[in-house]
Amino acid sequence: MVARRFLLAIVALAFGGLFLGAGQENPTPPKEVTYNRDVAPILYKNCVVCHRPNNIAPMSLMTYKETRPWARLIREAVVQRKMPPWHADPNVGEYLNDPRLSDVDISTIDAWFRTGTKEGDARDLPPAPVFGEGWHINPDIVFPIPEFMVSGASQDEYEYIYVPTNFTEDKWVQAAEVLPGDRRVVHHATVSVIEADKVAKKEEENKGSNAGVDKYHYRTGKVLHLRQDAPVVDDGCSYPTGGGVPGKESGYVNIVPGIYLPGHLAETRPSGYALRIPAGAYLQFQIHYSNHTSEDVKDRTSIGLVFAKEPVKHEIAQYEIWNDLFLIPPNDENHRVTSCYTLPKDVIALAYTGHMHFRGKSMKTEAIYPDGHHEVIMNVPHYDFRWQETYFLKKQFLMPKGTKLVTTAYFDNSVNNAQNPDPSRALRWGEPSDEEMMGFWLQFADPKPVDEKPAVAHK
Ligand code: HEC
């Protein structure tokens, strides 16, 4: 008996751990692993959302023919858990949109590779998933910007474009995705909701070359930077504003149905939670264009919205919390920056996003609750500018008024950081990606149920 189990263990080992951990007396004999029956379903479910023609990944994995040449790299990418991309520490928090493969799926791909990447019987192949052109969701409605010409002469511009929704009633948005018109020039795009009567004022502000320019900022062309002589505060938590420029708190509320950032997919909020777009509101597209093609490029970025199909209980908004006063010295490979913000009201925590630029190395946020206990709520140990994910909590929870959110980021401004455009530069806050930012965003919901309150704007 013992000998037989020992033998089975050897067999299991020989198959790359495929049957390890099953713990059975008599595991089924190892069957042949084929693309059609075993591998395609894994790729369809976990990979082709990006790995299909004209999407963000460099190659399509929709068919056997397309997949076969990549088998070795696919095996490596999944065994090392480089794919699907995910940067949250698996030991901190559980997330709804965690795309990591199960150990069984990894073993299957591993075994497929080791046993000769067989195609198998065509009758085993499940139907391929169908996607809308470019979209990762199926929008109920799409709002494109009017065609915008991005001049070949410009390298970094923030454009503000206002698109009317013409909604005749309040609408609840469950999921949203911002689709760049031309990925060569759209560096990022944030879409926020602006009530109709505020649009004229906003447009005026953004037209003027002084928009957002106070005594701590200056502008070159259409982008903002922090002045070199602004106070230097790396430890925002030791400063009265928590990291904001003097007189301005580190955190504020923004209503953002959708954002496009490198590696950021569509956002689908848990059922019962949705964002409200009031009747008649406008969508403000803040688009960061960066044209390195040296020719004029036309862009029509759009946002797709999926309306809530189930009753909405709680309305969503977002705190954006920043340190805007740091100074990262040249060649510093581990520069620490913090921000602090104390919640002015009870909220239900829904999702976290960390935002830095190329020098971002890691980010961790700790919540210190009014009763004194504290916990790390988000940890991104290896931040990657190319993969800026939003982490949606599996279990939403109440963060009481008075909870202090302490975010600690590290920046690598050394030559060791392969993405660093210039280690010899000292860096302060700036909109261009080759300057820096340090932001933690908390998507939250109002704990007060929607039907108990009148439809009013957030404060
Ligand atoms: C969210 C989108 C996305 C998903 C989901 C995704 N990939 Fe990728 N993948 C990319 C992008 C973008 C790249 C190229 C940039 C990079 O390597 O980070 C890439 C690169 C790769 C590479 C090339 C790595 C190399 O060394 O050249 C392989 C192999 C790969 N993916 C396999 C997979 C497999 C297998 C899955 C599913 C288990 C998967 N990917 C899921 C977006 C994705």
Side-chain angles (χ1 to χ4, degrees):
M1 190 62 194
V2 171
R4 186 164 157 263
R5 290 192 63 168
F6 183 65
L7 196 69
L8 282 173
I10 298 271
V11 171
L13 276 173
F15 278 85
L18 183 52
F19 300 100
L20 276 184
Q24 304 139 316
E25 278 286 311
N26 293 307
T28 39
K31 57 178 186 191
E32 189 182 40
V33 179
T34 72
Y35 169 83
N36 284 334
R37 187 186 53 217
D38 308 295
V39 174
I42 300 174
L43 303 183
Y44 286 175
K45 180 160 173 276
N46 302 285
C47 315
V48 301
V49 64
C50 302
H51 287 274
R52 60 187 152 109
N54 302 320
N55 216 272
I56 63 175
M59 72 287 193
S60 169
L61 299 177
M62 288 292 287
T63 64
Y64 177 73
K65 253 183 125 161
E66 288 170 325
T67 304
R68 172 62 196 80
W70 290 94
R72 178 183 294 274
L73 280 176
I74 289 172
R75 180 199 163 268
E76 202 178 288
V78 301
V79 167
Q80 297 175 8
R81 290 193 177 277
K82 280 195 278 187
M83 286 284 149
W86 186 247
H87 293 82
D89 178 349
N91 302 310
V92 174
E94 284 188 282
Y95 299 105
L96 283 173
N97 54 333
D98 183 343
R100 287 173 305 142
L101 294 187
S102 68
D103 293 344
V104 174
D105 286 350
I106 293 174
S107 307
T108 302
I109 290 178
D110 183 38
W112 178 62
F113 174 72
R114 287 151 174 271
T115 56
T117 62
K118 293 197 183 67
E119 182 168 12
D121 188 333
R123 285 168 303 183
D124 292 338
L125 184 66
V130 181
F131 300 94
E133 191 57 44
W135 298 100
H136 300 90
I137 53 174
N138 286 313
D140 292 319
I141 191 165
V142 173
F143 292 103
I145 58 165
E147 191 172 278
F148 186 83
M149 184 66 82
V150 190
S151 146
S154 76
Q155 296 269 295
D156 264 307
E157 291 177 27
Y158 271 53
E159 291 292 340
Y160 290 82
I161 299 162
Y162 295 84
V163 177
T165 60
N166 297 318
F167 289 155
T168 53
E169 55 178 2
D170 290 5
K171 292 282 192 186
W172 291 100
V173 174
Q174 193 77 56
E177 180 173 15
V178 178
L179 200 63
D182 191 318
R183 289 180 196 276
R184 293 174 302 166
V185 296
V186 179
H187 176 274
H188 92 252
T190 308
V191 179
S192 15
V193 177
I194 306 287
E195 286 181 52
D197 56 350
K198 304 212 172 82
V199 171
K201 185 170 164 261
K202 281 268 183 191
E203 270 180 324
E204 203 46 48
E205 267 176 30
N206 294 320
K207 235 191 280 160
S209 55
N210 277 332
V213 182
D214 54 22
K215 65 178 184 178
Y216 302 107
H217 294 89
Y218 67 100
R219 202 173 263 286
T220 55
K222 288 189 167 173
V223 285
L224 268 183
H225 319 257
L226 189 76
R227 289 173 59 106
Q228 296 305 316
D229 59 2
V232 174
V233 181
D234 286 327
D235 183 9
C237 296
S238 69
Y239 199 66
T241 61
V245 296
K248 200 170 164 233
E249 265 201 287
S250 56
Y252 52 81
V253 172
N254 200 356
I255 307 210
V256 187
I259 186 165
Y260 168 74
L261 291 166
H264 187 99
L265 291 188
E267 291 188 35
T268 303
R269 285 91 187 185
S271 134
Y273 297 89
L275 250 116
R276 190 170 58 93
I277 302 189
Y282 279 62
L283 297 172
Q284 170 189 279
F285 286 73
Q286 179 212 53
I287 306 185
H288 178 177
Y289 286 116
S290 198
N291 187 352
H292 296 279
T293 67
S294 75
E295 56 188 87
D296 294 351
V297 173
K298 284 187 201 135
D299 175 56
R300 268 202 106 179
T301 288
S302 52
I303 185 167
L305 305 177
V306 177
F307 297 128
K309 305 291 185 305
E310 322 221 317
V312 175
K313 293 204 196 72
H314 299 282
E315 177 170 358
I316 296 178
Q318 173 159 290
Y319 279 117
E320 302 187 357
I321 302 165
W322 307 90
N323 180 319
D324 289 336
L325 292 172
F326 57 79
L327 190 159
I328 305 170
N331 302 306
D332 192 333
E333 59 177 28
N334 204 32
H335 188 74
R336 183 173 187 268
V337 177
T338 70
S339 74
C340 270
Y341 182 68
T342 301
L343 294 177
K345 59 179 185 184
D346 290 354
V347 301
I348 300 172
L350 288 186
Y352 314 127
T353 312
H355 179 66
M356 299 179 276
H357 292 172
F358 295 125
R359 278 84 168 186
K361 185 177 182 184
S362 68
M363 187 179 279
K364 186 188 265 191
T365 300
E366 192 174 22
I368 304 176
Y369 300 106
D371 67 5
H373 88 278
H374 48 94
E375 63 176 335
V376 174
I377 54 169
M378 180 192 82
N379 188 29
V380 180
H382 304 285
Y383 179 84
D384 186 333
F385 178 77
R386 295 166 304 173
W387 293 109
Q388 301 186 39
E389 294 124 358
T390 290
Y391 305 111
F392 279 93
L393 285 163
K394 217 170 231 176
K395 294 196 187 96
Q396 301 79 37
F397 68 99
L398 188 87
M399 274 190 185
K401 174 178 172 173
T403 299
K404 187 170 165 185
L405 297 172
V406 182
T407 300
T408 306
Y410 285 88
F411 291 89
D412 182 352
N413 193 19
S414 75
V415 283
N416 304 333
N417 175 357
Q419 292 186 54
N420 191 347
D422 182 0
S424 69
R425 251 177 100 182
L427 296 159
R428 305 217 65 184
W429 181 94
E431 286 180 338
S433 334
D434 61 355
E435 294 167 27
E436 270 304 330
M437 290 197 186
M438 188 279 199
F440 168 70
W441 307 336
L442 169 69
Q443 267 189 58
F444 69 89
D446 193 332
K448 223 173 263 152
V450 162
D451 49 0
E452 277 180 27
K453 48 173 215 171
V456 287
H458 266 274
K459 260 287 146 323

